[in-house]
């Protein structure tokens, strides 16, 4: 059984120890969770360490140990009766979604919560701990090799701090959000993190990661076919997509339509000699299949608005309004609306963007529409920016 005292800090490295640790974790109302992983040379992230803590207990779990079955901990992560607390949850959620088969839920992301509490935009864990707990996080072990065993005492101590501080940050953030009546804001924001589609690795949907430059069917068919080919191969070989073929190469293929080895060899973005390789041959098959039947491969994409440029300085005025309301509400502007939201609001009468739904509409969206309609105006006052009715 892992001890909570610094002198006896150790890894949970076998299944019996893990079962005992999970019994302790079950006693908490929430679990603060973090991971250490590597994925620089792989498609799938390689999990190297799991850190978990309640208010009364914490442990470090070694997923690389040959004597451990993670099932007891994964069952705990899949338990929907207990909140899982992360900081900047996206990558950790991706790892557990693959291991469990579904995203852990419910979750609390302290980075999102910090934005809702006015503590900064995408605040780092180090800064959050400093602001909330007046404590210091030693990040010197952050980029060490977490695959190598044995892990050093310094690495373990660093990793432990990622959850022992996080649990106290959660308590403080939750109390502040409840006082402000903003817990619902966090639930809305984390909906995307608990949506299985967020972690979709179906090769047929790989084209959605690409920037669509042309609406033509022949171009779209090649983007979809080549993206699917690359995704399948990346997963099969467990290599990053860019190690198979970079996005620039996918785009160049979609535009130039090479049908044979010689044509592909002339493309700048495709590595020299790749066309003659085993994988180059399967790529040419994917290309020619899409060229022969674009209707079968081209995905349906939403039509772009005919007027993509906001009139005059509407976008700039909306940004000023966003900054003003975010300061009034003491919340990070990006939590309310991003640049794409602002552009769509400037262009469309009733845009279907996140900033025009739920609490964001109450805080910003309704005022943005009124500003466009000339029903409110923005002026400079002695205390800063002032919004008033026209």
């Amino acid at each position: 059984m892992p001890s909570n005292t610094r002198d006896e800090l150790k890894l949970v490295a076998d299944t019996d120890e893990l079962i005992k640790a999970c019994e302790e974790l079950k006693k908490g109302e929430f679990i603060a969770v973090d991971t250490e992983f590597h994925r620089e040379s792989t498609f799938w992230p390689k999990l190297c360490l799991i850190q978990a803590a309640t208010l009364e207990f914490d442990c470090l779990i070694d997923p690389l140990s040959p004597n451990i079955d993670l099932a007891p901990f994964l069952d705990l992560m899949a338990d929907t009766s207990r909140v899982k607390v992360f900081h900047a949850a996206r990558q950790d959620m991706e790892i557990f979604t693959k291991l469990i088969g579904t995203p852990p839920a419910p979750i609390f992301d302290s980075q999102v919560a910090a934005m809702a509490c006015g503590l900064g935009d995408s605040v780092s864990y180090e800064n959050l701990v400093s602001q909330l707990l007046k404590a210091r996080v030693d990040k010197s072990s952050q980029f060490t090799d977490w695959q190598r065993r044995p892990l050093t005492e310094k690495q373990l101590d660093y990793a432990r701090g990622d959850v022992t501080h996080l649990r106290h940050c959660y308590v403080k953030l939750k109390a502040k959000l409840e006082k402000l009546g903003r817990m619902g804001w966090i639930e809305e924001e984390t909906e995307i993190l608990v949506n299985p589609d967020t972690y979709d690795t179906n090769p047929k949907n790989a084209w959605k990661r690409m920037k669509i430059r042309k609406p033509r069917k022949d171009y779209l068919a090649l983007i979809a076919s080549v993206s699917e080919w690359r995704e399948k191969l990346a997963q099969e070989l467990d290599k990053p997509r860019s190690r198979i073929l970079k996005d620039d190469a996918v785009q160049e293929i979609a535009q130039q339509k090479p049908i044979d080895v010689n044509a592909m060899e002339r493309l700048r973005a495709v590595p020299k000699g790749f066309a003659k390789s085993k994988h180059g041959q399967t790529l040419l098959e994917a290309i020619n299949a899409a060229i022969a039947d674009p209707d079968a491969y081209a995905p349906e994409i939403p039509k772009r608005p005919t007027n993509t440029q906001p009139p005059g300085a509407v976008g700039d005025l909306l940004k000023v309004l966003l900054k003003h309301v975010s300061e009034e509400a003491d919340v990070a502007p990006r939590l309310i609306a991003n640049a794409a939201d602002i552009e769509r609001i400037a262009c469309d009468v009733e845009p279907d963007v996140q900033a025009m739904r739920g609490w964001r509409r109450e805080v910003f969206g309704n005022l943005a529409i009124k500003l466009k309609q000339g029903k409110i105006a923005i002026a400079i006052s002695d205390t800063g920016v002032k919004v008033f009715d026209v």
Side-chain angles (χ1 to χ4, degrees):
M1 169 64 64
S3 169
N4 282 350
T5 62
R6 182 181 299 270
D7 293 340
E8 299 180 29
L9 180 62
K10 60 178 285 189
L11 283 173
V12 175
D14 67 53
T15 304
D16 288 340
E17 285 185 342
L18 181 59
I19 291 171
K20 293 176 183 177
C22 288
E23 288 301 317
E24 294 297 321
L25 292 170
K26 287 178 183 177
K27 297 176 183 178
E29 294 182 359
F30 68 90
I31 304 175
V33 183
D34 190 43
T35 65
E36 306 299 337
F37 60 90
H38 279 273
R39 74 177 312 168
E40 288 81 4
S41 59
T42 61
F43 180 90
W44 308 106
K46 184 176 182 180
L47 183 59
C48 301
L49 187 67
I50 301 171
Q51 305 98 285
T54 65
L55 277 179
E56 304 297 332
F57 177 81
D58 66 88
C59 64
L60 305 177
I61 302 166
D62 184 4
L64 299 183
S65 170
N67 303 315
I68 200 165
D69 179 354
L70 291 178
F73 184 75
L74 298 180
D75 289 344
L76 203 56
M77 292 296 290
D79 181 1
T80 57
S81 69
R82 186 173 286 102
V83 174
K84 276 67 70 174
V85 181
F86 299 91
H87 182 83
R90 177 66 175 78
Q91 294 188 88
D92 295 322
M93 288 288 288
E94 180 184 357
I95 289 171
F96 286 114
T97 298
K98 186 173 188 298
L99 290 172
I100 298 169
T102 187
I107 69 164
F108 182 98
D109 190 328
S110 60
Q111 188 176 70
V112 174
M115 288 194 282
C117 291
L119 298 177
D121 186 357
S122 300
V123 63
S124 69
Y125 179 67
E126 184 178 10
N127 288 336
L128 182 65
V129 170
S130 177
Q131 289 187 65
L132 286 181
L133 308 180
K134 310 304 178 188
R136 180 177 175 272
V137 176
D138 180 6
K139 304 296 284 186
S140 60
S141 296
Q142 182 176 11
F143 298 110
T144 55
D145 186 355
W146 293 98
Q147 300 178 88
R148 181 177 296 179
R149 294 296 185 269
L151 294 170
T152 67
E153 189 77 11
K154 186 176 181 181
Q155 284 178 301
L156 295 175
D157 196 46
Y158 157 80
R160 188 185 195 182
D162 277 349
V163 287
T164 53
H165 291 312
L166 181 58
R167 60 186 173 187
H168 297 301
C169 287
Y170 167 69
V171 172
K172 286 182 174 290
L173 288 168
K174 183 172 180 285
K176 185 168 184 178
L177 289 167
E178 288 175 341
K179 183 178 180 181
L180 294 170
R182 294 181 181 177
M183 281 300 291
W185 293 17
I186 303 305
E187 291 168 5
E188 283 187 34
E189 186 63 20
T190 54
E191 280 180 5
I192 190 170
L193 290 171
V194 298
N195 185 342
D197 291 344
T198 303
Y199 313 99
D200 179 25
T201 54
N202 184 339
K204 289 191 176 299
N205 296 326
W207 66 270
K208 295 178 181 179
R209 297 187 182 90
M210 297 296 297
K211 184 176 181 180
I212 302 302
R213 296 175 178 172
K214 298 178 181 179
R216 292 201 330 260
K217 187 167 289 187
D218 57 343
Y219 165 84
L220 291 170
L222 279 165
I223 283 287
S225 182
V226 176
S227 296
E228 180 180 353
W229 168 86
R230 181 178 67 168
E231 193 78 1
K232 285 180 179 177
L233 188 57
Q235 292 183 21
E236 177 187 332
L237 300 179
D238 194 19
K239 289 185 177 181
R241 298 178 188 95
S242 61
R243 297 276 183 95
I244 304 297
L245 208 62
K246 295 185 183 299
D247 285 358
D248 287 349
V250 178
Q251 293 285 357
E252 190 176 12
I253 288 169
Q255 295 182 48
Q256 298 298 326
K257 305 179 183 62
I259 60 172
D260 55 32
V261 170
N262 290 332
M264 192 184 294
E265 282 287 288
R266 288 194 291 271
L267 300 183
R268 285 185 178 182
V270 176
K272 297 302 178 187
F274 183 83
K276 298 177 182 178
S277 70
K278 176 180 68 173
H279 299 312
Q281 292 302 306
T282 60
L283 172 56
L284 280 169
E285 291 171 9
I287 292 169
N288 282 294
I291 291 173
D293 190 2
D295 287 332
Y297 288 88
E300 292 290 333
I301 60 171
K303 291 184 179 180
R304 297 178 181 176
T306 54
N307 177 19
T308 58
Q309 293 298 320
V314 173
D316 291 334
L317 285 173
L318 288 170
K319 290 176 185 177
V320 173
L321 177 65
L322 175 62
K323 183 168 176 50
H324 170 70
V325 299
S326 64
E327 289 175 351
E328 289 282 301
D330 194 20
V331 58
R334 193 172 65 84
L335 190 63
I336 301 174
N338 57 32
D341 289 344
I342 293 294
E343 184 175 334
R344 287 286 303 279
I345 294 170
C347 294
D348 300 348
V349 175
E350 188 63 36
D352 182 20
V353 294
Q354 195 174 36
M356 299 301 294
R357 297 190 288 267
W359 66 267
R360 293 175 177 82
R361 180 160 192 136
E362 295 178 17
V363 172
F364 171 71
N366 288 332
L367 288 174
I369 296 299
K370 287 183 178 180
L371 181 64
K372 283 183 59 181
Q373 294 172 341
K375 295 180 179 179
I376 63 172
I378 298 175
I380 299 174
S381 68
D382 293 339
T383 57
V385 172
K386 178 181 178 182
V387 176
F388 58 91
D389 293 330
V390 175

